[in-house]
Amino acid sequence: MNLTEQDVRELRKQGDLVRLIKQARAAAHAENSRRRALVLRHPDLAERLTQPPISHTTPEHWTGYVPPAHDPETFGGGQPLNTSPIRAALAALVAEAERRTSAPARRQQEAEDNAA
């Protein structure tokens, strides 16, 4: 969500800015927890968290955070892509974990569709 300065002023006037920030933090925490559980469920993916370029000391040290695709330092500007190799590696791990998790569900749905 991209807020303008005008949006922030209006949220402050309405008393909703703190509520919005708390909701965003809670949503981010929930998403980090979801990603972490998803990757740690697969031992080979979890092990890759300890290898370069990520290099955590243990897989459990990862909070589930994946840096944004755009540079947060350019808020409201052109937002150049974040080309960090760590971000790319984390995003790839999450994508693979999601693919593995959704594959059984897809196969089950296809089997049900074929049986009908």
Side-chain angles (χ1 to χ4, degrees), residues 42 96 98-115:
H42 303 280
E96 175 60 18
E98 287 173 339
R99 186 193 66 74
R100 290 181 187 184
T101 301
S102 66
R106 267 196 318 271
R107 283 194 296 271
Q108 177 66 31
Q109 184 62 49
E110 288 169 1
E112 291 172 5
D113 291 345
N114 291 336

Side-chain angles (χ1 to χ4, degrees), residues 66-77:
V66 176
H70 294 285
D71 184 352
E73 296 297 318
T74 60
F75 177 79

Side-chain angles (χ1 to χ4, degrees), residues 26-42:
H29 179 72
E31 179 60 12
N32 289 348
S33 295
R34 182 195 73 81
R35 285 190 295 247
R36 183 177 188 273
L38 197 62
V39 170
L40 293 182
R41 179 179 310 156
H42 303 280

Side-chain angles (χ1 to χ4, degrees), residues 44-99:
D44 62 317
L45 298 181
E47 180 61 27
R48 286 171 44 192
L49 289 166
T50 65
Q51 299 167 357
I54 302 168
S55 301
H56 282 292
T57 53
T58 69
E60 293 75 22
H61 281 139
W62 183 52
T63 63
Y65 177 72
V66 176
H70 294 285
D71 184 352
E73 296 297 318
T74 60
F75 177 79
Q79 295 188 340
L81 287 177
N82 180 345
T83 58
S84 162
I86 295 172
R87 184 205 180 282
L90 289 171
L93 280 177
V94 172
E96 175 60 18
E98 287 173 339
R99 186 193 66 74

